[in-house]
């Protein structure tokens, strides 16, 4: 547990201090990786009609995220927040990291989903039906609860992956939690934005304002789930390490 905390702080500081160009690159790659997972999801859902199998197929996107070291917006709740709490970064740096990562995830996702539905037009009905599920939920308790769960699931996945240095072990939560996220239709700000983009590219019965409203709602729930249900509880388990880090923020761990 002590070693895991040190790894979180060190990596979080690196992310917070990352120059703009590498930060943009990592975010764009994250959007492409999730778009690849979405391709697998739509193909399997189209061929089988089974959401759980499609969710398992989607996990290829999280495997790509892990092995390529790209990042999603929601993967930046535990690691950089821990570094910020330890006074190894600032709130301004955290806001910059979140904002750039989210925007680049979405930008790359918009492009990759256009390529997917253009290359495989038979997926259009599946994309529209999948996206309409979230639009029809609207802004309410159910969609917010799904967003909170999505934020908690992704942050827990991050926590488990940082508990080990073995790539083989890290792949296990990538597959399991990726399948859980997509297979149960939790409301994830990036994944489900990409679903909506795919639908919008092929004439969805909703517009970009509908997407923006739902995406903002998802972001709020994701942040709450990731920070409160996982990150805060994780930090409460090591209060002495947090206190030490805050007292000596410049010390190497």
């Amino acid at each position: 547990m002590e070693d895991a905390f040190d790894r979180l702080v060190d990596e979080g500081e690196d992310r917070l201090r990352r120059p703009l160009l590498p930060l943009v690159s990592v975010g764009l790659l994250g959007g492409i990786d999730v778009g690849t997972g979405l391709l697998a999801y739509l193909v399997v859902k189209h061929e089988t009609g089974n959401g759980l199998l499609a969710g398992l197929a989607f996990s290829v996107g999280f495997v790509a995220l892990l092995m390529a070291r790209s990042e999603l917006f929601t993967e930046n709740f535990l690691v950089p927040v821990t570094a910020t709490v330890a006074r190894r970064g600032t709130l301004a740096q955290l806001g910059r990291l979140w904002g750039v990562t989210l925007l680049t995830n979405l930008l790359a996702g918009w492009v990759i989903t256009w390529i997917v539905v253009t290359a495989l037009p038979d997926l259009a009905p599946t994309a529209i039906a999948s996206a309409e599920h979230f639009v029809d939920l609207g802004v309410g308790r159910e969609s917010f609860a799904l967003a909170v769960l999505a934020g908690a699931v992704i942050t827990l996945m991050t926590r488990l992956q940082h508990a080990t240095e073995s790539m083989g072990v890290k792949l296990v939560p990538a597959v399991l939690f990726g399948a859980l996220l997509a297979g149960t239709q939790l409301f994830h700000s990036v994944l489900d934005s990409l679903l909506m983009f795919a639908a919008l590219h092929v004439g969805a019965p909703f517009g970009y304002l509908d997407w923006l409203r739902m995406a903002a709602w998802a972001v709020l729930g994701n942040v709450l789930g990731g920070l409160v249900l996982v990150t805060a509880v994780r930090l409460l388990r090591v209060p002495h390490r947090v206190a030490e880090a805050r007292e000596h923020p410049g010390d190497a761990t």
Side-chain angles (χ1 to χ4, degrees):
M1 188 180 300
E2 302 282 333
D3 290 343
F5 178 82
D6 291 341
R7 284 196 294 269
L8 289 172
V9 171
D10 289 341
E11 183 178 338
E13 183 178 15
D14 288 342
R15 292 189 191 185
L16 290 168
R17 299 181 185 277
R18 185 178 290 153
L20 181 60
L21 187 58
L23 179 57
V24 168
S25 175
V26 166
L28 291 173
L29 289 171
I32 293 170
D33 290 341
V34 172
T36 303
L38 184 62
L39 167 62
Y41 176 90
L42 290 174
V43 169
V44 173
K45 186 73 177 290
H46 175 73
E47 295 295 334
T48 69
N50 189 308
L52 293 178
L53 285 178
L56 183 60
F58 167 77
S59 64
V60 69
F62 275 18
V63 171
L65 279 169
L66 174 65
M67 300 194 71
R69 298 186 180 276
S70 50
E71 291 170 14
L72 279 185
F73 161 66
T74 49
E75 289 184 295
N76 280 319
F77 295 157
L78 176 66
V79 179
V81 170
T82 299
T84 303
V85 171
R87 293 182 176 173
R88 297 276 287 274
T90 66
L91 289 176
Q93 289 173 322
L94 181 62
R96 169 180 173 270
L97 175 64
W98 282 359
V100 173
T101 305
L102 178 59
L103 289 175
T104 50
N105 285 169
L106 294 175
L107 176 60
W110 189 92
V111 174
I112 196 69
T113 51
W114 179 84
I115 295 172
V116 167
V117 295
T118 301
L120 300 168
D122 288 347
L123 298 180
T126 304
I128 291 174
S130 298
E132 279 191 298
H133 167 75
F134 295 101
V135 176
D136 290 344
L137 283 176
V139 173
R141 287 185 299 176
E142 183 179 353
S143 58
F144 190 71
L146 288 168
V148 170
L149 285 174
V153 163
I154 296 302
T155 309
L156 180 57
M157 179 189 74
T158 304
R159 166 69 187 92
L160 294 176
Q161 289 174 335
H162 281 80
T164 178
E165 295 184 352
S166 168
M167 180 60 73
V169 176
K170 289 180 179 182
L171 285 170
V172 175
V175 172
L176 295 180
F177 284 79
L180 178 64
L181 177 74
T184 58
Q185 293 184 300
L186 300 183
F187 194 17
H188 187 271
S189 51
V190 176
L191 167 59
D192 297 315
S193 285
L194 267 60
L195 264 178
M196 293 182 207
F197 290 159
L200 286 163
H201 291 319
V202 292
F206 56 85
Y208 278 96
L209 286 179
D210 297 305
W211 158 72
L212 184 60
R213 175 170 56 93
M214 295 308 298
W217 192 235
V219 166
L220 182 60
N222 291 169
V223 171
L224 181 64
L227 294 186
V228 176
L229 296 184
V230 180
T231 301
V233 175
R234 168 72 181 96
L235 293 176
L236 287 174
R237 293 185 64 188
V238 286
H240 60 291
R241 294 294 291 114
V242 174
E244 290 172 5
R246 290 178 63 82
E247 186 176 354
H248 305 288
D251 291 353
T253 54

